[in-house]
C-alpha cells in the first residue's frame, strides 16, 4: 500500500454534470464562438510551434496582453487558465495551514484549491445586498482574501467602497477574480497601481471564447508577479494556445467587444422575460443570470430533457435553490425560456 496524504483523503474531483444538449448554457463560455482571428491562427500553426517548446514564461503573450490591458509585461503573468493562476498564487503567498478567506457563495473551485494547497478554507457569507462583508473577511485573519467581481454564481459586482476598505485594511494580498470583467460596467484593476497588495486574475475562457485553450492572466505589481511566477513554472500553455491567444488579443478585440455587447443585450432581455414569468433574477454584471427558484435541480433536469442545459444549485447560502443561465445569441435564450416555461408547468 502506498502512503497517501491524509489531507487529500476527502478531496473529490470537480465534476459539473456534463450532458450533451442542443443548447448548452451551463458553463458561461462564449456562445457566439471564438474570434475569427484566433481560428485563422489555428489553421496557420507552424509545425515548429508543436515540435519545439514555447519560450519560457510566455513573453510574446505578455506583450500582446500588455497592449490589450495597458500594463507593462513585468506587471503580467499568464497561466493554464486563470484557475492555474489562482492555484499558483495560493502556493506563492500562503504556507500550508494558513486560512484562505472566500466570500460565499462564490467561485466553487476555491474550496478545492484551498484543500489541495493544504489551506484552511474560511468562507464568509455575502451581505444581504450581495456585496462583500469586509469586516467578516478581515476577521478571518487570512493573509490572502479572494474576491470575485462580477461574482460567479450570483453575477453581482462588488462595490468600490467595500473593496477599497478591504484592500486598505487587509494584512496581506487581495486576489480579485475578474473572469467576467468584459460584461461588467467597470473594472477595479486600477487598484493594482494605487495599492501594493492587489492581484487581479482574468481569463480568455469567457468573453474571448478560448476556454478549451486554457489561457488566463494576472495583473499585479512586478514584485507580486515575481513571487507568483516562482510558483508558476516556465511552461503553462501549449504553443498553439499561445498563438491563438495572441491573435485574439491583437486582431480579435473588436469582435470580442461586439459579442460581449450582444451578450449584455441578451442578458437584459432575458432578465425582463424572467421577470415576466414571475421570477426574481439577481442583477447581473456577467454573461449569465442567476434565478432563485425552489426545486431548481428538478427544473434543470426537466429542461435537459427538452435539450437545454443550465446549471442548477441547491440550497445556496443567502439564495436557496437557483438556476444559472448563460447569455448568448437570442435564439438560445428563447429556447431556454421556452424550456423553463414547460419545465415549471
Ligand atoms: C470561469 C471562471 C474562471 C476561469 O477559468 P479558466 O481557468 O480561466 O478557464 C475563473 N474564475 C471564475 C469565477 C470563473 O467563473
Amino acid at each position: 500500500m502506498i502512503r497517501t496524504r491524509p489531507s487529500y483523503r476527502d478531496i473529490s474531483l470537480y465534476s459539473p454534470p456534463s450532458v450533451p444538449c442542443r443548447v448548452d448554457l451551463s458553463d458561461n463560455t462564449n456562445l457566439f464562438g471564438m474570434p475569427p482571428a484566433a481560428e485563422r491562427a489555428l489553421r496557420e500553426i507552424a509545425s515548429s510551434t508543436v515540435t519545439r517548446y514555447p519560450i519560457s514564461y510566455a513573453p510574446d503573450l505578455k506583450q500582446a496582453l500588455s497592449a490589450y490591458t495597458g500594463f507593462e509585461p513585468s506587471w503580467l503573468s499568464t497561466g493554464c487558465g486563470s484557475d492555474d493562476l489562482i492555484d499558483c498564487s495560493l502556493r506563492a503567498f500562503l504556507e500550508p495551514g494558513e486560512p484562505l478567506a472566500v466570500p460565499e457563495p462564490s467561485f466553487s473551485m476555491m474550496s478545492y484549491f484551498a484543500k489541495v494547497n493544504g489551506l484552511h478554507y474560511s468562507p464568509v457569507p455575502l451581505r444581504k445586498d450581495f456585496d462583500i462583508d469586509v469586516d467578516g473577511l478581515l476577521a478571518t485573519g487570512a493573509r490572502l482574501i479572494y474576491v470575485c467581481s462580477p461574482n460567479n454564481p450570483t453575477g453581482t459586482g462588488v462595490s468600490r467602497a467595500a473593496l477599497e476598505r478591504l484592500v486598505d485594511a487587509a494584512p496581506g494580498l487581495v486576489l480579485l477574480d475578474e473572469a467576467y470583467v468584459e460584461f461588467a460596467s467597470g473594472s477595479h484593476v486600477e487598484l493594482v497601481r494605487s495599492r501594493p497588495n492587489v492581484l487581479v486574475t482574468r481569463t480568455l475562457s469567457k468573453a474571448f471564447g478560448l476556454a478549451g485553450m486554457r489561457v488566463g492572466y494576472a495583473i499585479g505589481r512586478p514584485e507580486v508577479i515575481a513571487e507568483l511566477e516562482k510558483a508558476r513554472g516556465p511552461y503553462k500553455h501549449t504553443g498553439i494556445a499561445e498563438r491563438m491567444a495572441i491573435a485574439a488579443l491583437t486582431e480579435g478585440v473588436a469582435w470580442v467587444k461586439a459579442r460581449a455587447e450582444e451578450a449584455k443585450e441578451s442578458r437584459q432581455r432575458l432578465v425582463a422575460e424572467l421577470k415576466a414569468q414571475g421570477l426574481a433574477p439577481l442583477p447581473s454584471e456577467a454573461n449569465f443570470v442567476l434565478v432563485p427558484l425552489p426545486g431548481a435541480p428538478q427544473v434543470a433536469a426537466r429542461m435537459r430533457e427538452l435539450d437545454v442545459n443550465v446549471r442548477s444549485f441547491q440550497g445556496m447560502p443567502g439564495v436557496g435553490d437557483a438556476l444559472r443561465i448563460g447569455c448568448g445569441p437570442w435564439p438560445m435564450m428563447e429556447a431556454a425560456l421556452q424550456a423553463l416555461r414547460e419545465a415549471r408547468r
Side-chain angles (χ1 to χ4, degrees):
M1 254 313 260
I2 54 154
R3 217 182 133 248
T4 57
R5 202 174 151 173
S7 58
Y8 269 43
R9 204 170 295 140
D10 298 328
I11 293 177
S12 45
L13 301 187
Y14 179 69
S15 58
S18 111
V19 197
C21 278
R22 190 176 60 83
V23 176
D24 189 343
L25 312 175
S26 67
D27 64 4
N28 309 336
T29 48
N30 192 327
L31 298 166
F32 298 91
M34 70 173 120
E39 203 162 351
R40 232 169 13 247
L42 177 61
R43 277 198 304 271
E44 290 166 7
I45 292 292
S47 74
S48 61
T49 304
V50 174
T51 58
R52 309 301 302 261
Y53 281 97
I55 306 173
S56 55
Y57 300 98
D60 297 348
L61 178 54
K62 283 182 186 169
Q63 202 62 55
L65 283 165
S66 175
Y68 175 66
T69 62
F71 286 87
E72 289 293 306
S74 60
W75 292 60
L76 299 166
S77 182
T78 65
C80 178
S82 56
D83 273 13
D84 180 39
L85 290 155
I86 294 168
D87 184 37
C88 289
S89 57
L90 299 185
R91 265 205 310 288
F93 292 98
L94 297 175
E95 294 289 357
E98 284 198 74
L100 166 68
V102 179
E104 190 175 76
S106 190
F107 192 28
S108 63
M109 289 289 288
M110 293 309 296
S111 64
Y112 168 81
F113 288 137
K115 277 190 203 140
V116 295
N117 286 294
L119 302 171
H120 177 74
Y121 184 67
S122 300
V124 177
L126 289 172
R127 291 164 20 136
K128 279 207 164 51
D129 63 359
F130 296 103
D131 207 351
I132 51 171
D133 173 3
V134 175
D135 296 317
L137 289 166
L138 291 171
T140 63
R143 290 192 312 108
L144 195 149
I145 299 172
Y146 171 88
V147 174
C148 185
S149 182
N151 185 41
N152 181 8
T154 58
T156 51
V158 67
S159 72
R160 175 62 67 102
L163 187 59
E164 284 188 359
R165 195 159 75 78
L166 178 72
V167 167
D168 289 342
L173 200 65
V174 172
L175 177 60
L176 178 64
D177 184 338
E178 288 196 335
Y180 299 98
V181 69
E182 292 86 358
F183 309 102
S185 49
S187 164
H188 301 292
V189 74
E190 290 304 319
L191 285 178
V192 163
R193 295 195 201 272
S194 61
R195 311 291 203 282
N197 59 330
V198 179
L199 181 64
V200 174
T201 56
R202 292 183 179 173
T203 181
L204 270 61
S205 297
K206 304 290 159 58
F208 277 86
L210 297 179
M213 283 293 115
R214 314 302 305 125
V215 179
Y217 61 101
I219 305 172
R221 294 198 170 217
E223 57 275 23
V224 172
I225 292 295
E227 287 305 303
L228 173 58
E229 296 227 311
K230 291 181 190 172
R232 175 199 190 268
Y235 305 117
K236 285 291 185 149
H237 318 288
T238 64
I240 297 173
E242 253 181 58
R243 297 334 299 171
M244 291 178 73
I246 290 167
L249 287 161
T250 51
E251 304 152 61
V253 174
W255 185 94
V256 168
K257 287 190 171 155
R259 298 296 86 72
E261 279 311 310
E262 278 186 66
K264 284 161 67 177
E265 282 162 28
S266 282
R267 176 179 79 197
Q268 203 179 340
R269 285 176 76 182
L270 177 65
V271 164
E273 293 285 339
L274 291 167
K275 285 182 178 166
Q277 286 195 26
L279 298 166
L282 270 54
S284 174
E285 296 261 314
N287 64 338
F288 56 82
V289 171
L290 191 75
V291 202
L293 179 63
Q298 293 75 21
V299 173
R302 282 198 291 276
M303 288 175 74
R304 280 194 290 274
E305 285 166 16
L306 300 166
D307 238 0
V308 175
N309 194 21
V310 297
R311 183 80 180 266
S312 69
F313 298 87
Q314 190 162 26
M316 197 189 300
V319 178
D321 298 352
L323 297 178
R324 193 189 64 195
I325 307 173
C327 299
W330 184 247
M332 289 190 186
M333 306 293 96
E334 278 183 320
L337 285 161
Q338 182 56 33
L340 177 59
R341 229 175 269 121
E342 281 184 41
R344 288 178 69 205
R345 249 183 222 140

